[in-house]
Amino acid sequence: MIVRDLTSLDDDRTTDGGTWVSRRLLLARDGTRFSMHDTILRAGTTTTMWYRHHVEAVYCVGGEGWLHDDEAGVRHALHEGVLYCLDGHEHHRVEAVTDLRMICVFDPPLVGGEVHDADGAYPLLGREVAEEAS
Ligand code: 9YT
């Protein structure tokens, strides 16, 4: 069993991507087949993403903003209680009107320091680490 408290998270589990800060509660090194993050997207920012190597599920637990689906050309309001899952590796943007607090799950798991590359993707690093840990 793993029990972890956001208020006493190790420094190397926090990654700042500029428009967001991600507190990575579960990572590949924990031996799980997914990672789980508590992420704040900063008010007034827009983040462009395309997770071509990962499936991400995102659950909004606070704040207001917009999810722009750049493949369908539609936007969805984000507020507490809204979930989206990028099961088709969709190009998308998240516009934070206020600070948005998001619980994010990645499969395969992240290893810890990932930030978006020029395409908005994270590199595929987790699978090997997860296999070593199991
Ligand atoms: C939706 C979102 O928060 N994206 C950017 C950060 C990412 N989810 C992460 O690494 O936690």
Side-chain angles (χ1 to χ4, degrees):
M1 181 185 295
I2 299 167
V3 178
R4 200 155 278 146
D5 185 334
L6 185 65
T7 62
S8 55
L9 210 58
D10 292 344
D11 287 346
D12 70 347
R13 288 179 178 272
T14 297
T15 300
D16 193 325
T19 57
W20 49 267
V21 60
S22 178
R23 288 81 56 91
R24 294 173 170 168
L25 289 151
L26 274 179
L27 287 166
R29 73 182 82 152
D30 296 309
T32 50
R33 296 185 177 275
F34 54 89
S35 58
M36 186 170 188
H37 320 161
D38 183 324
T39 299
I40 306 292
L41 289 121
R42 295 186 168 106
T45 67
T46 298
T47 305
T48 301
M49 293 166 276
W50 175 41
Y51 293 123
R52 57 183 157 170
H53 304 302
H54 297 85
V55 171
E56 185 194 24
V58 180
Y59 184 59
C60 180
V61 295
E64 303 285 336
W66 295 98
L67 166 65
H68 297 268
D69 178 340
D70 289 325
E71 297 190 10
V74 296
R75 69 177 189 174
H76 305 275
L78 293 172
H79 52 79
E80 183 180 356
V82 175
L83 169 114
Y84 65 88
C85 180
L86 301 158
D87 58 343
H89 306 280
E90 293 88 349
H91 289 84
H92 66 290
R93 286 169 291 134
V94 174
E95 177 186 350
V97 176
T98 68
D99 277 1
L100 276 169
R101 187 173 181 190
M102 314 290 246
I103 306 303
C104 310
V105 174
F106 278 80
D107 171 23
L110 301 196
V111 303
E114 291 93 335
V115 292
H116 298 121
D117 66 15
D119 292 328
Y122 289 153
L124 187 56
L125 302 173
R127 186 165 290 149
E128 312 81 71
V129 177
E131 281 170 4
E132 279 172 25
S134 63

